[in-house]
């Protein structure tokens, strides 16, 4: 091993060994090493020297490194075991908690045509489904029972979603209307908002619920917009970093409501990030 060390490295190693032996009280062994290394016959340990305590530091760092290696090996093994549960040819799957079973737990039947969207309630075992048959059905997904059918749209219901606290349900349709339903009051339709001029639209709009007034219209896609969602509160700091818009005192309230930014997805094969207050496109993801 010594043959792989330079003269400088050998000298530092010998000095660190002598320093350790002197500090630990092995004076005889220290004196013997001095005799075998003539260049260090007059070496006296110096607490301010770079070699002082070096041997102990190196040893403890090796132990820490070994522990880190064992931890990483354990995590790698767990990741490989989890990865092995994915199989392209339908081989054995072990994690029954999250992998689909061979047969469904519930089959919810009742719509008379294709289903366009399914949304889970944020707190309760409720499921809303929007269909081409112009209805929205409310299900208890634990029991599989149909609780209610919402009628009001005249054409295919294209999407539906609950708000964050689950008190409101919004639906949109090819009849060009957006309907708001009060979940607490047995899904009463309390507001109907005029939507776009055509069921196939390349624009997205933000409308105030109480007044039905359109606040912002976002134009920029070259084909039909299929989806539009507000950026969740937890992701806003990362979005601000991406578009170089640091948070400020004036933006804090809007950020807390999670209505600062909107993401839209279109059939023009792009995803756009918008400033929801000004309707400005801040970023276009092309894929």
């Amino acid at each position: 091993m010594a043959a792989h060390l330079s003269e400088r490295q050998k000298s530092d190693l010998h000095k660190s060994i002598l320093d350790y032996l002197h500090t630990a009280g092995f004076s005889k062994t220290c004196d013997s090493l001095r005799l075998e290394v003539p260049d260090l016959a007059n070496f006296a340990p110096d607490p301010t020297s770079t070699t002082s305590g070096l041997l102990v530091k190196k040893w403890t760092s090796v132990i820490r490194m070994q522990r880190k290696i064992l931890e990483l090996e354990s995590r790698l093994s767990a990741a490989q075991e989890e990865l092995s549960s994915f199989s392209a040819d339908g081989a054995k799957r072990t994690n029954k908690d999250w992998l689909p079973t061979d047969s469904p737990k519930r089959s919810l039947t009742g719509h008379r045509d294709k289903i366009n969207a399914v949304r889970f309630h944020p707190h309760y075992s409720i499921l809303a489904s929007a269909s081409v048959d112009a209805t929205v059905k409310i299900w208890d997904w634990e029991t599989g029972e149909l609780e209610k059918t919402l009628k009001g749209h005249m054409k295919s219901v294209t999407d539906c979603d609950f708000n964050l606290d689950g008190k409101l349900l919004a639906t949109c349709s090819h009849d060009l209307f957006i309907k708001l339903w009060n979940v607490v009051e047995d899904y009463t339709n309390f507001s109907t908002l005029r939507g776009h001029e055509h069921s196939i639209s390349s624009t997205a709009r933000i409308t105030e619920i109480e007044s039905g007034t359109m606040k912002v219209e976002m134009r920029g896609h070259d084909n039909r917009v299929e989806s539009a969602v507000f950026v969740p509160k937890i992701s806003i700091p990362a979005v601000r970093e991406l578009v170089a818009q640091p948070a400020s005192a004036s933006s804090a309230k809007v950020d807390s409501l999670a209505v600062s930014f909107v993401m839209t997805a279109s059939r023009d094969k792009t995803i756009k990030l918008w400033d929801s207050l000004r309707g400005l496109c801040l970023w276009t993801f092309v894929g």
Side-chain angles (χ1 to χ4, degrees):
M1 178 64 72
H4 299 289
L5 299 177
S6 66
E7 291 302 321
R8 173 68 180 276
Q9 290 172 329
K10 290 179 183 178
S11 176
D12 288 345
L13 178 59
H14 293 154
K15 288 178 182 179
S16 62
I17 294 174
L18 287 171
D19 176 82
Y20 170 74
L21 293 174
H22 176 78
T23 304
F26 300 113
S27 55
K28 293 182 180 180
T29 307
C30 184
D31 292 339
S32 298
L33 182 57
R34 282 197 183 97
L35 293 175
E36 294 189 32
V37 187
D39 293 343
L40 299 176
N42 299 320
F43 173 77
D46 180 5
T48 63
S49 172
T50 56
T51 57
S52 178
L54 182 62
L55 201 64
V56 176
K57 293 176 184 176
K58 292 290 185 182
W59 178 255
T60 53
S61 66
V62 168
I63 293 175
R64 285 197 299 270
M65 187 64 71
Q66 288 175 331
R67 289 174 179 171
K68 190 65 177 178
I69 290 173
L70 290 174
E71 179 187 348
L72 291 174
E73 287 179 341
S74 175
R75 291 169 62 182
L76 177 61
S77 177
Q80 289 176 332
E81 183 178 350
E82 182 177 344
L83 186 61
S84 66
S85 65
F86 292 91
S87 175
D89 58 0
K92 181 180 179 182
R93 294 173 173 177
T94 56
N95 195 332
K96 296 181 179 179
D97 293 332
W98 57 273
L99 283 174
T101 57
D102 294 334
S103 57
K105 182 178 179 180
R106 294 280 184 267
S107 291
L108 311 180
T109 57
H111 282 294
R112 293 177 288 104
D113 211 326
K114 302 180 185 69
I115 297 172
N116 288 324
V118 172
R119 296 290 183 267
F120 285 92
H121 191 281
H123 303 298
Y124 307 125
S125 60
I126 293 174
L127 184 74
S129 58
S131 171
V132 177
D133 65 11
T135 68
V136 175
K137 291 187 180 292
I138 309 299
W139 312 81
D140 184 325
W141 53 262
E142 283 191 338
T143 63
E145 294 181 0
L146 174 63
E147 293 194 345
K148 196 173 187 66
T149 298
L150 309 183
K151 298 180 179 180
H153 286 293
M154 303 303 293
K155 292 185 179 181
S156 169
V157 183
T158 56
D159 203 357
C160 64
D161 205 358
F162 293 96
N163 69 335
L164 292 178
D165 61 12
K167 294 181 180 180
L168 301 179
L169 174 68
T171 61
C172 58
S173 167
H174 278 168
D175 62 11
L176 308 183
F177 288 102
I178 299 168
K179 289 185 176 291
L180 302 179
W181 311 79
N182 191 321
V183 175
V184 179
E185 296 183 3
D186 198 28
Y187 295 92
T188 303
N189 176 209
F190 68 92
S191 182
T192 298
L193 311 176
R194 176 72 183 184
H196 296 266
E197 290 78 17
H198 198 280
S199 60
I200 300 176
S201 176
S202 61
T203 65
R205 292 175 175 176
I206 296 178
T207 304
E208 186 179 74
I209 293 177
E210 294 181 355
S211 65
T213 305
M214 183 186 72
K215 292 297 184 181
V216 177
E217 186 171 58
M218 293 163 282
R219 294 179 176 271
H221 285 292
D222 297 325
N223 206 327
R224 179 174 178 172
V225 176
E226 292 288 356
S227 180
V229 294
F230 283 105
V231 172
K233 183 178 178 181
I234 193 172
S235 303
I236 288 178
V239 170
R240 289 199 174 278
E241 182 179 354
L242 172 68
V243 299
Q245 284 190 6
S248 62
S250 59
S251 68
K253 183 177 181 180
V254 182
D255 287 354
S256 67
L257 298 174
V259 293
S260 300
F261 304 102
V262 170
M263 299 289 291
T264 58
S266 168
R267 288 194 177 184
D268 64 10
K269 302 179 182 179
T270 67
I271 298 172
K272 290 184 180 289
L273 171 65
W274 306 81
D275 182 323
S276 61
L277 301 182
R278 296 178 293 171
L280 298 178
C281 180
L282 304 176
W283 202 276
T284 299
F285 300 88
V286 180

